[in-house]
């Protein structure tokens, strides 16, 4: 980011007239701030745009007022800084963004603005530093572009590092103005550094300077330079545009212009969503968060604009533009989508739920569900209200989300779902009930032991057994003697017997043992034998001395099936005695 520097004047830093004028220093800093802001603005607006014209007018007026009051403005150019009278008034170490670096790398070492400057000269100068001259000039350096513009009231000092030559140039007819030898010597000495005796620089005629040398680049330095060149070639244009707009808003305080810039950002944001460019869209939401920070010192009016911009960014209209794209989204982009969603505020939950109801593919639905778990805690009532939706897949996903959020309010809406016509919804409900530790969930699980789907009934019984739900013990024991129990599949019978054993322990041994006893019958009773098998398994589960004794008694049963089952259970318990 470009930073006009606010640094105290060092005691030894004085200009030609004596001590620095603090008012003049303040004016210079304001001009540099306006210059950097305007240079970014004109890169994104056409010349007939109101903002384009306003920023240029402000810069011209401020510069003209300074030149009229204080006279010529001269800036020293260092690699990442602009200096006025020895004081840094600008610094930016980002090679891709720094105005100082752009001027420095093209050989400029001083830049001066003179009284009488015209607005057209300011506009042309902004074009040069932004290099908006067109396709034919995009590869030209700053010096060439300044020379072509013939700017009368802007002068500059150029150095050719390889030859050691200096030229003070006026942007009119490329005429060389002979600077004083002392001035050239001062600049030359400060820019050069003696490192190697291999190559000695020459100085302009009449200027005596120490022996100076240039660097001989190492392979590592060459590699780094190539890397930086490649980095500039691969410049992220969208990120650069975002950076320009963000920098403008960081310093702009006019509500009208502030709102207009936010409008442009909103259009960019919508385009990024349509393309599925969540990485750059996330940057915009992060910027909104940055600007909402009280430390930014925005007025209530501007803060309100930021808040409205963020709400608009996650509006239903914007969110629904993602519908078709997400169903075709590759995994890498879905990861970026998840990170992007985590920046949404709770007010974005309703449109995100609507989007969830339109997606066809499982992977984007899952990503959206996981994000809603993170941001949906503030919208639980809304999520509960959507459980009445006719789309079973949406209701199932909402049950999953609410279960992960874990808010107990959701239990009030679950009783009506245990009889939902769709088995998938009832299954998802069971998964959620299993994870919520609350007495009400035991009642709901017990009711779902009668679910029409076998898999759901088994899940409910296992969940009750796992939590050793005492309120469920008597209802489960009561089921063992019911007529309906006789027609249940063997697997379900075993699960219910097992649940009784896990919940009741020693307490239920006598009540389970009775199923090992059979009366004499001429015909084989399959139902009785299945009950005996399940009882032997349940007693093995209990495994206490009373349970072992009950198995011993069962091992002499008249039923071979029950007898063998008891002997097997005793063997597994390590007790082979009869």
């Amino acid at each position: 980011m470009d930073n006009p520097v606010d640094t105290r004047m060092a005691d030894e830093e004085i200009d030609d007239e004596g001590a620095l004028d603090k008012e003049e220093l303040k004016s210079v800093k304001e001009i540099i701030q306006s210059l950097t802001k305007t240079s970014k603005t004109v890169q994104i607006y056409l010349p007939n745009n109101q903002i384009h014209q306003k920023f240029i007018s402000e810069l011209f007026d401020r510069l003209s007022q300074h030149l009229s009051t204080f006279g010529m403005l001269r800036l020293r150019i260092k690699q990442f800084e602009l200096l006025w009278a020895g004081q840094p008034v600008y610094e930016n170490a980002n090679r891709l963004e720094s105005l100082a670096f752009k001027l420095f790398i093209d050989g400029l070492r001083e830049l001066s603005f003179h009284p009488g400057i015209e607005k057209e000269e300011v506009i042309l100068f902004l074009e040069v530093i932004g290099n908006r001259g067109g396709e034919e000039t995009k590869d030209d350096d700053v010096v060439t572009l300044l020379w072509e513009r013939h700017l009368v009231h802007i002068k500059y000092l150029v150095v050719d590092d390889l030859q050691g030559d200096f030229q003070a140039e006026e942007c009119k007819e490329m005429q060389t103005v002979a600077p004083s030898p002392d001035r050239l010597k001062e600049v030359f000495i400060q820019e050069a550094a003696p490192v190697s005796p291999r190559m000695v620089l020459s100085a302009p005629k009449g200027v005596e300077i120490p022996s100076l040398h240039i660097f001989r680049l190492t392979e590592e330095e060459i590699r780094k330079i190539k890397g930086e060149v490649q980095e500039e070639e691969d410049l992220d244009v969208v990120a650069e545009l975002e950076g320009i707009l963000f920098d403008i808003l960081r310093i702009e305080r006019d509500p009208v212009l502030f709102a207009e810039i936010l409008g442009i950002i909103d259009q960019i944001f919508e385009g990024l969503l349509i393309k599925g460019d969540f990485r750059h869209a996330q940057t915009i939401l992060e910027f909104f968060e940055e600007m909402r920070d009280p430390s930014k010192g925005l007025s209530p009016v501007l803060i309100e604009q930021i808040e409205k911009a963020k709400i608009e960014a996650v509006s239903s209209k914007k969110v629904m533009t993602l519908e078709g794209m997400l169903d075709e989204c590759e995994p890498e982009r879905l990861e970026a989508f998840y990170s992007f969603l985590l920046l949404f505020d709770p007010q974005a939950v309703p449109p995100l739920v609507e989007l969830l109801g339109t997606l066809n593919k499982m992977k984007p639905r899952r990503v959206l569900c996981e994000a809603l778990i993170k941001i949906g805690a503030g919208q639980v009532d809304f999520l509960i209200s959507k459980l009445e939706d006719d789309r079973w897949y949406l209701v199932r996903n909402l049950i999953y989300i609410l279960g992960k959020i874990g808010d107990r309010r959701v239990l009030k809406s679950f009783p009506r779902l245990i009889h939902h016509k769709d088995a998938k919804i009832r299954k998802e409900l069971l998964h959620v009930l299993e994870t919520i530790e609350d007495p009400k969930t035991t009642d709901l699980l017990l009711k779902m032991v009668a679910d029409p789907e076998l898999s759901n009934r088994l899940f409910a019984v296992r969940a009750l057994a796992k939590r050793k739900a005492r309120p469920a013990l008597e209802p489960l024991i009561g089921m063992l003697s019911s007529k309906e129990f006789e027609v249940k599949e063997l697997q379900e019978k075993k699960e219910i017997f097992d649940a009784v054993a896990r919940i009741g322990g020693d307490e239920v041994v006598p009540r389970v043992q009775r199923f090992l006893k059979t009366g004499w019958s001429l015909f084989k009773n399959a139902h009785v034998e299945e009950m005996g098998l399940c009882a032997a398994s349940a007693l093995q589960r209990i495994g206490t001395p009373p349970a072992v004794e009950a198995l011993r008694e069962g091992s002499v049963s008249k039923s071979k099936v029950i007898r063998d089952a008891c002997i097997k259970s005793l063997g597994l318990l390590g007790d082979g005695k009869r």
Side-chain angles (χ1 to χ4, degrees):
M1 174 181 167
D2 299 328
N3 298 312
V5 179
D6 187 10
T7 307
R8 293 184 180 179
M9 178 182 63
D11 293 338
E12 67 274 19
E13 294 289 358
I14 56 175
D15 61 11
D16 295 337
E17 301 298 325
L20 283 172
D21 186 327
K22 292 184 179 180
E23 289 299 318
E24 186 173 0
L25 177 61
K26 178 182 177 182
S27 176
V28 172
K29 290 178 180 178
E30 290 176 349
I31 290 171
I32 298 302
Q33 185 181 65
S34 180
L35 175 65
T36 55
K37 178 176 71 172
T38 306
S39 67
K40 294 176 182 296
T41 304
V42 298
Q43 292 181 53
I44 58 175
Y45 289 106
L46 294 175
N48 60 353
N49 183 275
Q50 178 185 357
I51 295 181
H52 181 286
Q53 296 172 355
K54 176 181 182 296
F55 278 40
I56 289 178
S57 294
E58 287 182 352
L59 172 61
F60 175 70
D61 292 344
R62 184 171 280 117
L63 180 59
S64 297
Q65 179 63 37
H66 179 93
L67 298 176
S68 175
T69 303
F70 303 106
M72 181 263 293
L73 169 60
R74 186 175 70 191
L75 299 170
R76 242 330 274 300
I77 302 168
K78 298 186 72 174
Q79 188 173 14
F80 299 115
E81 293 180 310
L82 298 179
L83 306 178
W84 174 81
Q87 293 294 300
V89 292
Y90 170 95
E91 63 179 1
N92 187 343
N94 187 326
R95 286 178 168 82
L96 299 180
E97 298 179 1
S98 177
L99 171 61
F101 184 76
K102 182 179 181 65
L103 300 175
F104 183 89
I105 202 68
D106 281 350
L108 272 75
R109 294 297 181 268
E110 277 194 5
L111 185 68
S112 59
F113 300 88
H114 296 259
I117 192 170
E118 299 177 357
K119 180 183 280 190
E120 183 63 25
E121 290 181 281
V122 173
I123 295 173
L124 292 174
F125 178 73
L126 290 169
E127 287 183 356
V128 168
I129 61 177
N131 201 351
R132 293 191 57 189
E135 188 70 22
E136 69 280 0
T137 66
K138 69 177 183 178
D139 295 325
D140 290 338
D141 58 28
V142 172
V143 175
T144 301
L145 294 173
L146 285 173
W147 171 67
E148 290 177 343
R149 295 315 190 270
H150 305 294
L151 307 179
V152 176
H153 298 93
I154 301 176
K155 300 178 182 180
Y156 50 92
L157 186 67
V158 182
V159 60
D160 182 344
D161 286 329
L162 294 181
Q163 299 299 326
D165 295 332
F166 288 82
Q167 293 180 330
E169 295 174 354
E170 183 178 353
C171 299
K172 181 181 181 182
E173 300 175 0
M174 200 62 176
Q175 295 176 348
T176 299
V177 177
S180 69
D182 289 341
R183 182 63 190 149
L184 287 175
K185 178 179 178 180
E186 174 194 346
V187 175
F188 189 85
I189 291 174
Q190 291 181 7
E191 294 301 333
V195 174
S196 170
R198 296 176 180 270
M199 299 182 69
V200 181
L201 296 177
S202 60
K205 184 177 181 180
V207 179
E208 296 181 1
I209 62 174
S211 178
L212 300 171
H213 311 86
I214 65 172
F215 289 100
R216 188 181 287 274
L217 296 178
T218 66
E219 291 296 325
E220 176 65 15
E221 289 170 332
I222 293 173
R223 185 187 64 78
K224 288 183 178 180
I225 290 174
K226 288 182 177 179
E228 291 176 359
V229 171
Q230 184 63 46
E231 181 180 351
E232 188 164 0
E233 290 177 352
D234 297 338
L235 183 63
D236 188 331
V237 177
V238 176
E240 185 179 24
L241 177 59
E242 288 180 336
I244 291 171
L245 293 169
F246 297 165
D247 284 347
I248 293 172
L249 287 182
R250 287 185 180 106
I251 55 180
E252 181 55 60
R253 294 299 179 263
D254 184 327
V256 175
L257 296 179
F258 199 89
E260 186 165 345
I261 298 292
L262 285 175
I264 295 172
I265 292 176
D266 181 70
Q267 294 174 13
I268 294 173
F269 185 83
E270 184 171 7
L272 293 173
L273 292 186
I274 294 173
K275 292 170 53 183
D277 187 346
F278 302 117
R279 181 170 63 88
H280 287 113
Q282 179 176 337
T283 302
I284 291 176
L285 294 185
E286 289 172 342
F287 173 73
F288 289 157
E289 286 300 310
E290 172 196 331
M291 296 300 286
R292 292 164 74 183
D293 192 303
S295 65
K296 294 299 178 181
L298 294 184
S299 67
V301 173
L302 299 185
I303 291 177
E304 183 181 0
Q305 289 185 10
I306 289 288
E307 295 289 350
K308 288 181 178 179
K310 184 162 188 182
I311 293 173
E312 177 59 28
V314 297
S315 65
S316 180
K317 176 186 174 184
K318 295 282 198 314
V319 170
M320 293 310 294
T321 62
L322 301 172
E323 179 183 350
M325 184 276 301
L326 284 176
D327 278 329
E328 304 301 325
C329 207
E330 58 271 15
E332 295 78 12
R333 192 175 294 182
L334 286 177
E335 292 180 10
F337 177 55
Y338 176 73
S339 299
F340 167 67
L341 289 176
L342 294 185
L343 292 172
F344 281 36
D345 287 336
Q347 64 260 30
V349 168
L352 289 177
V353 169
E354 187 57 34
L355 176 64
L356 181 61
T358 65
L359 296 177
N360 297 318
K361 298 292 181 65
M362 182 190 69
K363 288 184 178 180
R365 283 205 306 266
R366 180 61 65 183
V367 169
L368 191 48
C369 285
E370 295 302 324
L372 283 167
I373 291 168
K374 298 291 186 181
I375 65 175
Q379 290 277 12
V380 169
D381 289 335
F382 171 79
L383 294 173
I384 291 174
S385 72
K386 295 300 289 183
L387 293 175
E388 302 290 343
D389 199 281
D390 293 333
R391 294 166 288 185
W392 68 266
Y393 51 90
L394 176 59
V395 175
R396 182 181 66 178
N397 287 328
L398 291 176
I399 293 172
Y400 169 78
I401 293 166
L402 287 165
K404 291 294 185 179
I405 292 174
D407 194 301
R408 296 298 191 273
R409 283 177 289 173
V410 74
L411 295 177
K412 296 179 181 179
S413 65
F414 278 180
R416 65 178 181 271
L417 294 176
I418 64 176
H419 303 297
H420 198 283
K421 62 182 179 180
D422 196 289
K424 299 184 185 68
I425 288 178
R426 301 197 304 273
K427 183 179 291 294
E428 192 64 50
L429 181 61
L430 281 166
H431 284 285
V432 171
L433 291 174
E434 183 187 30
T435 62
I436 299 178
E437 292 294 338
D438 190 285
K440 294 178 182 178
T441 60
T442 297
D443 296 338
L444 293 172
L445 285 170
L446 194 54
K447 290 179 181 179
M448 297 199 73
V449 170
D451 192 89
E453 289 287 324
L454 173 61
S455 61
N456 287 350
R457 295 197 300 271
L458 295 179
F459 190 102
V461 172
R462 289 168 186 159
L464 291 168
K466 182 178 179 181
R467 65 174 56 185
K468 295 185 178 181
R470 294 292 300 182
L473 182 58
E474 288 303 324
L476 290 174
I477 291 176
M479 292 177 61
L480 302 180
S481 302
S482 66
K483 290 293 183 182
E484 292 81 7
F485 195 79
E486 293 183 9
V487 298
K488 290 183 179 298
E489 295 184 18
L490 179 58
Q491 180 186 7
E492 187 172 2
K493 290 177 180 177
K494 283 185 176 181
E495 290 290 350
I496 295 175
F497 266 98
D498 184 74
V500 169
R502 293 176 68 179
I503 297 171
D506 267 353
E507 175 188 340
V508 299
V509 168
R511 303 173 78 173
V512 174
Q513 183 183 5
R514 67 189 178 88
F515 292 101
L516 298 178
K517 300 174 181 179
T518 60
W520 183 89
S521 176
L522 181 63
F523 302 101
K524 184 177 181 180
N525 191 327
H527 167 65
V528 171
E529 290 184 341
E530 282 187 355
M531 297 292 280
L533 285 171
C534 294
S537 177
L539 291 168
Q540 177 190 326
R541 161 73 70 178
I542 297 171
T544 61
V548 171
E549 185 59 34
L551 286 170
R552 286 176 183 164
E553 294 179 13
S555 66
V556 295
S557 173
K558 294 178 182 179
S559 168
K560 184 178 184 304
V561 172
I562 295 176
R563 186 169 65 246
D564 290 346
C566 289
I567 293 172
K568 181 178 179 182
S569 293
L570 287 169
L572 291 172
L573 289 172
D575 190 334
K577 297 179 181 180
R578 295 211 176 168

